[in-house]
Amino acid sequence: KEFLKSTISDISHQLKTPLAALMMYQEIIEADPNNADTVKEFSQKIGTALKRMEQLILSMLKITRLDTGNILFDKQVCSVQELIKNAISELTTRATQEKKQLIVNGTSNQIVICDMDWTSEAIGNIVKNALDHTQDGGMICITWERTPAMLRILVSDNGSGIASEDIHHIFKRFYRSKYSLNTPGIGLGLPLAKSIIEGQGGLISVQSVLHEGTYNPVNLI
């Protein structure tokens, strides 16, 4: 009951801002319906707010299902190269538009036992977070290596980095550093990635230096 109460409270709190924005945009359009520029501008803003709400609700539902054990991972032998390809498939266009490089480097014959869909989503969330915090012209590298005990996937960037006071909080839900208030995101991508990786017996961690970049090792058994 306490878990459900906390989850509903989180969703309700996070929905207040986009709902208030939608109501305001609707009132502006209603007050000036014959002004094409006004209708176009605030219709686009409505679309953005709706996408944010959809992302928020879907992410919270996924995390809740993971936390309550309602998801059974379909772990199979997967090509690491294919895993990374799936993870970044929807991010390559964005990277090009923002003049950022996505560099993938690893041996093509490596395999790992995991749930392809869920693990792709986890890696994709980490890469998206790197894109959010890397300036135009920046670089995000995705590499992998096999150790005697595990497969390690490394996501690193030369972006804004993470302040020392924030680094122990970045996997908390809705956590937003004072240094990243102007960046996109809702604060659920990394917590969701952590739940997915740890739910399969893996481990995700972070190392970073402010203004120099961030290094995310993901270890899969």
Side-chain angles (χ1 to χ4, degrees), residues 6-154:
S6 175
T7 301
I8 292 173
S9 176
D10 282 342
I11 294 176
S12 300
H13 177 73
Q14 294 297 322
L15 284 175
K16 285 181 180 178
T17 299
L19 279 172
L22 284 171
M23 293 173 67
M24 180 180 68
Y25 300 153
Q26 188 272 332
E27 289 174 359
I28 292 172
I29 291 175
E30 188 176 43
D32 197 11
N34 297 319
N35 188 323
D37 290 338
T38 298
V39 172
K40 181 179 180 181
E41 177 186 356
F42 287 96
S43 292
Q44 291 173 342
K45 289 180 181 291
I46 287 173
T48 300
L50 288 171
K51 287 178 182 177
R52 177 181 172 84
M53 290 173 64
E54 180 185 36
Q55 181 186 6
L56 170 67
I57 293 169
L58 290 177
S59 295
M60 279 301 300
L61 289 175
K62 288 176 182 177
I63 290 178
T64 302
R65 290 176 64 199
L66 286 163
D67 284 352
T68 54
N70 288 332
I71 289 178
L72 296 177
F73 292 106
D74 182 18
K75 298 177 72 172
Q76 299 181 8
V77 176
C78 302
S79 160
V80 179
Q81 190 173 44
E82 190 67 22
L83 175 67
I84 301 303
K85 180 181 177 181
N86 288 349
I88 66 173
S89 62
E90 296 182 3
L91 298 171
T92 52
T93 300
R94 174 187 166 182
T96 300
Q97 291 174 341
E98 296 178 1
K99 299 180 175 60
K100 300 171 186 177
Q101 295 183 66
L102 282 180
I103 299 173
V104 178
N105 186 21
T107 53
S108 60
N109 61 348
Q110 287 289 350
I111 59 172
V112 64
I113 298 176
C114 69
D115 185 304
M116 173 69 83
D117 292 338
W118 280 104
T119 310
S120 293
E121 178 163 358
I123 301 299
N125 283 347
I126 298 170
V127 175
K128 179 183 179 298
N129 189 72
L131 284 169
D132 290 343
H133 296 88
T134 302
Q135 293 71 37
D136 287 2
M139 184 168 55
I140 295 93
C141 298
I142 305 106
T143 63
W144 58 90
E145 60 184 8
R146 169 66 66 179
T147 72
M150 65 190 69
L151 180 96
R152 174 169 292 167
I153 299 171
L154 310 170

Side-chain angles (χ1 to χ4, degrees), residues 129 133 155-168 170 205-217:
N129 189 72
H133 296 88
V155 180
S156 59
D157 64 69
N158 61 350
S160 57
I162 304 168
S164 57
E165 65 264 31
D166 294 321
I167 202 161
H168 298 295
I170 65 167
S205 58
V206 61
Q207 301 170 30
S208 185
V209 177
L210 189 62
H211 307 309
E212 293 186 15
T214 300
Y215 177 85
N216 282 111

